[in-house]
Amino acid sequence: MIKCSFCGYEFTEEESKKSCTSCPLNKNCGKYKCPNCGYEILGKSRLFSFLNKKKGRN
């Protein structure tokens, strides 16, 4: 579940992708769009995910 940092609405990644269908960058932009208010939330970067995995192994 993803929580909108603007309105607090919780939604799934699938719901976010449905609200991005009109955008030409909808497949690879790395953002989630809140279906409730339209606010765009940055997704976690690959570097962030990689560093979190490395931290968890030590």
Side-chain angles (χ1 to χ4, degrees), residues 2-34:
I2 303 164
K3 185 174 183 177
C4 178
S5 54
F6 186 74
C7 70
Y9 182 74
E10 291 188 8
F11 55 95
T12 64
E13 188 173 342
E14 292 81 28
E15 289 176 298
S16 173
K17 296 299 177 191
K18 288 178 187 175
S19 63
C20 292
T21 55
S22 63
C23 178
L25 300 175
N26 66 357
K27 292 184 181 179
N28 297 318
C29 75
K31 294 181 183 178
Y32 300 107
K33 186 173 183 179
C34 177

